[in-house]
Amino acid sequence: MSTAAAHVNGLGAELGAIRRKVAELPEYAGGPPDAGTGFAEYREAEGGILDLLGPAMRGALDASGTDPATVDTVLLATESLPADGPDRTAFAGLLSDLGLRRAYPVMLGLADCSTAIAAFDIAASLVRSGASGTVLVVSGDLVRTVLPGGRVVLGGTAVAGDGAAAAVVSGRRYGWELLGGARGIAAEAATPGHRMSAQLAMYQGLFADLWEATGLTPRDLGTGAVLPSNLARDALRTFLGEAGIADSQVYLDNVPRIAHCLGSDPLINLADRTAGGGAPSPVVLLGTSAVHAAAVLLRPVEE
């Protein structure tokens, strides 16, 4: 059994091409969103889910310099490929078009917007054990498919947009070393009167487990180094503050720009933070929903 380290070698992301104003949604006809949410715009896709997934996957392969023929596993976190829809079959064609002819596809779900980040822990385990050489982690959804009731969810805590993201995970020492991860469930969040306390406990437990798994602490993180799901700004600050994360350590730049692209937010945020010249630091990818949370800690590879 191999004990090689796992690394995130490259990222790709694709946003819905249409920019919309959050204040123009029917839910805000009586007034704009509360200022504490920070929401201003969201993205809407013109085409189907494969039109988002394809460019994101190609971007990750190109950014990492990965030969598609070497990818042996694809972990796909999405709820936008219904079993009875044409895109499920067409996805196999997309893999072939991208040169991913050896890649075994596995679709993950059930943990909402945390699923994609939990997939990194799975990918790292596959690489470290030698069960896979190179894994492509893919996330993406269309709001009209997964949230037919509208884009404003959780009482305005989130405004959903369309997007996709992908990353290559392998044993090649390049990019970010994947130090470890953690997962949590707010089991009592559905109980009336217990939602907030259950969610706070989930965040606290998640980060306690993450520090134990990686040997790092919040003091090892720099400015904007916690890259979360794009929920309302005030809500994020509250939850993460209870887990020992300072406001300055939370990356909130994309909340007004793209709103909440479901499971893809943390990867999009990492790509944007990196492109923007964010301070060198270990970073936390944090995917959360009302009931589920997953986090992984990445450390930049020193050249």
Side-chain angles (χ1 to χ4, degrees):
M1 178 181 292
S2 171
T3 57
H7 296 83
V8 177
N9 300 142
L11 309 172
E14 184 75 6
L15 297 171
I18 304 172
R19 303 169 72 109
R20 303 283 195 197
K21 299 293 186 182
V22 169
E24 296 174 356
L25 286 165
E27 291 87 344
Y28 294 116
D34 185 277
T37 67
F39 296 123
E41 294 184 343
Y42 65 92
R43 296 301 186 98
E44 183 177 337
E46 293 181 305
I49 184 60
L50 300 187
D51 297 316
L52 295 176
L53 296 177
M57 295 163 71
R58 185 178 294 109
L61 293 168
D62 290 347
S64 64
T66 298
D67 180 354
T70 66
V71 177
D72 48 29
T73 306
V74 172
L75 299 181
L76 174 62
T78 183
E79 297 177 49
S80 296
L81 290 177
D84 58 351
D87 286 337
R88 182 74 67 96
T89 301
F91 184 72
L94 175 60
L95 295 180
S96 180
D97 291 344
L98 292 172
L100 297 162
R101 296 177 179 86
R102 292 183 56 241
Y104 188 89
V106 178
M107 193 157 69
L108 307 172
L110 297 182
D112 301 317
C113 300
S114 70
T115 304
I117 302 307
F120 278 90
D121 243 353
I122 298 170
S125 295
L126 290 172
V127 168
R128 293 183 189 121
S129 69
S132 289
T134 304
V135 181
L136 184 61
V137 176
V138 187
S139 171
D141 274 303
L142 292 177
V143 176
R144 65 176 181 265
T145 302
V146 299
L147 297 171
R151 292 181 179 270
V152 180
V153 295
L154 298 174
T157 302
V159 175
D162 301 333
V168 173
V169 179
S170 78
R172 181 163 64 100
R173 190 178 181 276
Y174 176 77
W176 304 81
E177 183 180 359
L178 209 161
L179 295 183
R183 295 173 296 280
I185 300 176
E188 297 182 359
T191 304
H194 292 271
R195 178 176 166 183
M196 179 65 77
S197 60
Q199 289 175 326
L200 289 174
M202 177 178 69
Y203 277 81
Q204 291 171 326
L206 178 80
F207 277 93
D209 290 346
L210 185 65
W211 308 137
E212 182 176 356
T214 62
L216 274 65
T217 73
R219 292 187 297 273
D220 297 301
L221 304 180
T223 301
V226 177
L227 307 157
S229 295
N230 288 354
L231 306 180
R233 283 176 166 176
D234 282 357
L236 278 172
R237 291 186 176 111
T238 298
F239 290 137
L240 292 172
E242 290 293 325
I245 306 298
D247 284 356
S248 64
Q249 293 177 307
V250 188
Y251 186 86
L252 298 172
D253 297 34
N254 276 337
V255 171
R257 190 173 71 89
I258 65 173
H260 175 41
C261 292
L262 306 179
S264 303
D265 285 342
L267 270 179
I268 296 170
N269 288 339
L270 178 58
D272 285 354
R273 181 184 187 274
T274 302
S281 163
V283 298
V284 175
L285 303 183
L286 172 64
T288 56
S289 68
V291 179
H292 302 93
V296 292
L297 202 153
L298 311 180
R299 178 170 59 194
V301 170
E302 296 181 2
E303 302 297 337

